Amino acid sequence: MISAIAFCQQEENGTIYIKHPYIDVVNNAAKAYMAKDESTEKMIYSDTARVWISGLEKGISIADAIKGWSSDFDYFDDVNLKTFGYPDYLHYKKDNGMTVQSWWTLSGKSKKNGEVIKIPIVIFDDFNTAGKIISVSILGDLSKWLKEKS
C-alpha cells in the first residue's frame, strides 16, 4: 500500500519567529492599553488601521477602537491583559504578509457587581512595511465583558 502523503508536494510560505521587533510592538500596544496611554497607541497603529472583534458584523476604525478600549476603565477596576503562551511573528512569502499572533487573558473587576471577569483571547496584528499595525482581529467570547459596558 502506497501512502498518498508521499506524493504530496510541500512548499514553505514563510518563516515563524519567536523573537522579532513586531512582537515588541504588540507587547508595547498592550502596555499602552493598560496604562491608558492613547498617544502611544495612536503611534503604534496606522491612521487607517481597522479592528475586528468577535461579535462585530464589521470592523471599526482604530480611533473608535481606542475610544472603546479606553472606556474599559470606566466599567472595570484592575484591568489587565496578560500573555499566556508566547507570541509568534509570521512572515509570509506570499504578498509579504507580516502578522503577530498572540494569546492573552483579558481581566477586570466589574464596577457594577464586583465580579472578576477573565477572558482568553487571541489577537492577530497585521503590519505594513513601515512597522505600523494596519489590521487587528481579536477573537474570544467577549459577551460578558461587553454586557458590563452596556
Side-chain angles (χ1 to χ4, degrees), residues 20-132:
H20 191 276
Y22 290 175
I23 293 172
D24 296 336
V25 171
V26 168
N27 289 333
N28 288 335
K31 288 177 189 172
Y33 163 73
M34 289 185 292
K36 299 183 265 183
D37 184 353
E38 291 184 32
S39 62
T40 296
E41 287 179 305
K42 289 175 183 175
M43 290 187 314
I44 290 172
Y45 299 93
S46 77
D47 294 339
T48 58
R50 301 290 295 170
V51 177
W52 178 84
I53 301 169
S54 293
L56 294 180
E57 286 188 34
K58 60 182 183 174
I60 59 175
S61 71
I62 190 60
D64 288 341
I66 290 172
K67 283 180 199 172
W69 296 333
S70 294
S71 74
D72 289 348
F73 298 89
D74 297 334
Y75 299 92
F76 296 95
D77 288 320
D78 305 321
V79 174
N80 194 10
L81 194 55
K82 184 177 179 186
T83 58
F84 66 88
Y86 56 88
D88 286 314
Y89 168 64
L90 309 154
H91 189 191
Y92 296 101
K93 282 193 318 189
K94 184 176 179 177
D95 301 327
N96 194 32
M98 297 173 279
T99 301
V100 172
Q101 62 182 13
S102 54
W103 295 264
W104 306 85
T105 299
L106 173 64
S107 63
K109 183 178 178 182
S110 170
K111 290 184 178 182
K112 284 183 186 176
N113 61 24
E115 178 185 2
V116 175
I117 298 174
K118 292 184 178 182
I119 303 164
I121 58 175
V122 61
I123 302 176
F124 296 92
D125 292 284
D126 297 319
F127 285 79
N128 63 18
T129 55
K132 299 270 189 174

